[in-house]
Amino acid sequence: MLTQNSKLAKVSKEPGMTKTINHFLINDSWYLVDLPGYGYAKTAGKSDRASWLTFTKEYFAKRQALVCVLLLVDGSISPQQVDLDCANWLAEAQVPFAIAFTKCDARKKSGPTPAANIKAFKAELLKDYEQLPACFETSAQLGQGRVEVLGYLASLRQLEAAEGGDFL
Ligand SMILES: Nc1nc2c(ncn2[C@@H]2O[C@H](COP(=O)(O)OP(=O)(O)OP(=O)(O)O)[C@@H](O)[C@H]2O)c(=O)[nH]1
Ligand SMILES: [Mg+2]
């Protein structure tokens, strides 16, 4: 959705399709990196799951070129512990991150709206933290939040460049 190229990243009905670390070079200037997520972890065997967790944590904590982690949280369902744990881990580790609530167009037949799910998720985070990370409401189907997310990432990259950071 961010690149307006639906063929770039593989999409699947069941989570777990993204099995490798995919670097997408944007405008010959920065990388959007798609990592395997919990979907992969769920389908992987025990030892693959363990190495996924170690790799991902190390990547977030140590990758010099990392400007921001975008944590994608499904906005069409109620807050999930796994997402809260991940947000908490990133905050504790002082990894710069933002939350993109996805599927804001979608709503389960009976149940809360994406707006209510997002509100509940933020309330959970605020139990432990005074400040929320930057949050975006997005929909790949509608293109919602695209300009906001790209603008936010651009401002972070500019900041890094001004500080002489090694952002590539
Ligand atoms: N309605 C709606 N569906 C979406 C949206 N974004 C993604 N989906 C659907 O959600 C499903 C999963 O999308 P993926 O992009 O494969 O999700 P992922 O988290 O990358 O999954 P893996 O990498 O396979 O673990 C697909 O069926 C998508 O079409 C959205 O904004 N709105
Ligand atoms: Mg994927």
Side-chain angles (χ1 to χ4, degrees), residues 1 11 18 20 28 35 72 75 82 87 94 96 101 104 106 126-127 133 161:
M1 184 274 269
V11 174
T18 306
T20 53
D28 280 329
L35 299 176
L72 272 55
V82 70
Q94 296 188 301
F101 291 101
C104 289
L126 285 171
K127 284 183 184 168

Side-chain angles (χ1 to χ4, degrees), residues 10-18 37 39-40 102-106 138-141:
K10 290 204 168 64
V11 174
S12 63
K13 203 145 181 65
E14 294 298 319
M17 174 65 108
T18 306
Y40 168 77
T102 62
K103 307 189 192 180
C104 289
D105 59 278
T138 73
S139 161
Q141 216 162 68

Side-chain angles (χ1 to χ4, degrees), residues 67-80:
V67 173
C68 181
V69 173
L70 262 186
L71 179 61
L72 272 55
V73 175
D74 190 337
S76 71
I77 55 175
S78 59
Q80 304 289 301

Side-chain angles (χ1 to χ4, degrees), residues 100-148:
F101 291 101
T102 62
K103 307 189 192 180
C104 289
D105 59 278
R107 186 179 171 181
K108 299 280 171 267
K109 275 199 185 88
S110 63
T113 59
N117 293 327
I118 292 167
K119 198 174 163 192
F121 194 92
K122 289 178 177 174
E124 285 296 326
L125 289 180
L126 285 171
K127 284 183 184 168
D128 292 315
Y129 300 98
E130 278 179 25
Q131 242 193 328
L132 287 173
C135 290
F136 300 93
E137 299 188 12
T138 73
S139 161
Q141 216 162 68
L142 306 175
Q144 181 192 344
R146 177 175 179 271
V147 169
E148 290 80 0

Side-chain angles (χ1 to χ4, degrees), residues 24-101:
F24 301 107
L25 178 59
I26 312 293
N27 297 335
D28 280 329
S29 95
W30 60 282
Y31 284 101
L32 194 56
V33 181
D34 186 20
L35 299 176
Y38 329 126
Y40 168 77
K42 231 174 167 175
T43 56
K46 207 172 170 183
S47 82
D48 282 348
R49 182 159 49 240
S51 41
W52 165 81
L53 190 62
T54 308
F55 170 85
T56 308
K57 285 183 169 178
E58 287 229 344
Y59 187 93
F60 289 160
K62 299 202 180 130
R63 181 96 179 122
Q64 287 290 321
L66 182 66
V67 173
C68 181
V69 173
L70 262 186
L71 179 61
L72 272 55
V73 175
D74 190 337
S76 71
I77 55 175
S78 59
Q80 304 289 301
Q81 193 57 47
V82 70
D83 292 318
L84 291 165
D85 289 347
C86 191
N88 284 325
W89 186 89
L90 289 164
E92 292 298 325
Q94 296 188 301
V95 176
F97 76 106
I99 297 177
F101 291 101

